[in-house]
Amino acid sequence: MFSALRKEWKHFWKSRSLFFIGLPALIVVFVFYYLPMYGIVIAFKDINYAKGIWGSDWVGLHNFKFFFNSQDALRITRNTLLLNGLFIVVGMSCALVIGLLLAELGRRWVKLFQTILFFPYFLSWVVVGFVSYILLNPSFGVINKLLEQLHFSPIDWYSKPGYWPLILTLTYLWKNVGYTAIIFFTGLLSIDNSYYEAASIDGASRLQQIRKISIPLITPLITMLFMLNVGRIFYSDFGLFYFVPRDAGMLYATTDVVDTYVFRSLRVVGDLGMASAASLYQAIVGLILVVTTNLLVRKFNKDNALF
């Protein structure tokens, strides 16, 4: 054992410069991701602010029982999985197509389209929420005014939950698809141009080159992004689901997800224990999903697995 420790110490001392370069990142991860984990205990307690976290009464799984026995658990789980699953599939598909199209453009046009596609990513969801309200306002919204001009009846968008899976998907794509497309475009730039030259000499069309060269060579990148997104499938984009539907109670059937439920539990009910239980449930399911996805990927191709 001592010889193994001595060997590891020699290896560490030899690479100490790399360790000290990464030390600030390690400290940030430890302070902001590991130290707060003691708060998991809140999910198992009846929090009394006067007694504090450790002094509050231990209630075991009562908070989880209350959460799962309510009618909200099934609804928010279904909405979270289905909507985020839709975002992953549609978003990555659109981003891949856009990334492939960017790779076919000239450098000057690429810079223009990069800027256009990437700009919405930097906008706050608060701003996007106000823009969507300008479009969807039941009385003065741009879309309803356009419908009136076309002799259609205006729609009260904020009381019709059936429309919102499509609205949220389009909003998500507009804001985020450019960011993922740039990642795919960067991956395509790393492919050796000699592959395309050889395929061109053999008479392959551009579509055939995309199918046989571009997509296969960036498959590891696609797989990695897919697994990372699946791992966060239970961590919905709070701003999207809160500010765009404007927390309208009529839309909870299709827009209420775990994040908005936890926030509302804290703001309206003030039940810290139940909110923590829902958040812990969210984390556990996310962990199970990413591990399961990684095992499936590893079964088919070990090189594409994360671990």
Side-chain angles (χ1 to χ4, degrees):
M1 184 179 67
F2 289 108
S3 61
L5 289 174
R6 192 180 299 111
K7 185 178 179 180
E8 289 297 325
W9 173 257
K10 289 180 179 179
H11 177 71
F12 164 76
W13 191 252
K14 184 179 180 180
S15 306
R16 62 186 182 278
S17 58
L18 296 177
F19 171 78
F20 287 117
I21 289 174
L23 185 60
L26 292 174
I27 293 173
V28 169
V29 170
F30 178 75
V31 171
F32 291 101
Y33 289 88
Y34 282 90
L35 285 182
M37 288 179 68
Y38 85 93
I40 290 175
V41 73
I42 296 174
F44 304 95
K45 291 203 168 195
D46 181 14
I47 296 298
N48 185 317
Y49 294 100
K51 296 180 180 179
I53 294 177
W54 298 111
S56 297
D57 296 331
W58 181 271
V59 294
L61 299 177
H62 175 76
N63 290 323
F64 293 91
K65 182 180 178 181
F66 182 83
F67 170 68
F68 285 110
N69 286 341
S70 71
Q71 61 180 357
D72 302 323
L74 179 61
R75 184 190 71 228
I76 64 174
T77 301
R78 180 199 64 206
N79 291 345
T80 303
L81 290 175
L82 292 181
L83 288 173
N84 284 308
L86 182 64
F87 294 165
I88 291 172
V89 174
V90 177
M92 291 195 65
S93 300
C94 293
L96 179 60
V97 171
I98 294 173
L100 292 168
L101 291 175
L102 288 174
E104 300 297 319
L105 295 175
R107 181 169 297 181
R108 184 174 63 179
W109 289 106
V110 165
K111 291 182 179 180
L112 174 63
F113 282 101
Q114 274 183 326
T115 305
I116 294 173
L117 290 169
F118 207 45
F119 175 73
Y121 182 77
F122 294 101
L123 293 178
S124 165
W125 278 117
V126 178
V127 176
V128 176
F130 278 112
V131 172
S132 65
Y133 187 67
I134 292 172
L135 295 173
L136 301 174
N137 184 285
S139 302
F140 308 105
V142 174
I143 294 179
N144 276 344
K145 290 298 181 182
L146 181 60
L147 290 175
E148 290 176 358
Q149 292 294 324
L150 297 173
H151 305 290
F152 289 103
S153 300
I155 300 172
D156 187 358
W157 301 100
Y158 292 95
S159 64
K160 305 289 185 181
Y163 291 108
W164 281 88
L166 177 60
I167 294 172
L168 291 174
T169 301
L170 292 176
T171 307
Y172 173 87
L173 290 177
W174 176 76
K175 191 174 188 300
N176 292 292
V177 75
Y179 176 80
T180 311
I182 299 301
I183 295 176
F184 286 138
F185 173 64
T186 305
L188 290 168
L189 291 180
S190 65
I191 299 175
D192 192 338
N193 200 48
S194 61
Y195 290 111
Y196 297 104
E197 293 174 355
S200 181
I201 292 172
D202 289 338
S205 64
R206 293 302 300 174
L207 184 59
Q208 289 174 323
Q209 292 178 32
I210 290 173
R211 288 174 52 205
K212 301 296 183 180
I213 299 174
S214 299
I215 294 178
L217 289 180
I218 64 168
T219 296
L221 176 62
I222 297 172
T223 305
M224 182 185 70
L225 289 177
F226 176 76
M227 284 192 292
L228 292 174
N229 284 326
V230 168
R232 294 188 59 82
I233 196 171
F234 243 63
Y235 285 86
S236 310
D237 196 330
F238 174 79
L240 170 63
F241 290 100
Y242 185 80
F243 291 110
V244 176
R246 303 181 69 82
D247 196 30
M250 294 288 290
L251 304 180
Y252 285 166
T254 56
T255 64
D256 197 20
V257 292
V258 176
D259 288 291
T260 55
Y261 179 82
V262 171
F263 176 77
R264 197 166 56 252
S265 296
L266 287 172
R267 190 193 66 178
V268 179
V269 182
D271 193 333
L272 188 60
M274 191 178 68
S276 299
S279 185
L280 181 58
Y281 162 66
Q282 180 184 34
I284 292 172
V285 174
L287 175 64
I288 293 172
L289 286 173
V290 74
V291 171
T292 304
T293 306
N294 187 76
L295 289 175
L296 291 174
V297 171
R298 194 175 185 83
K299 183 176 180 180
F300 292 102
N301 191 330
K302 292 183 178 180
D303 295 333
N304 290 343
L306 285 176
F307 49 88

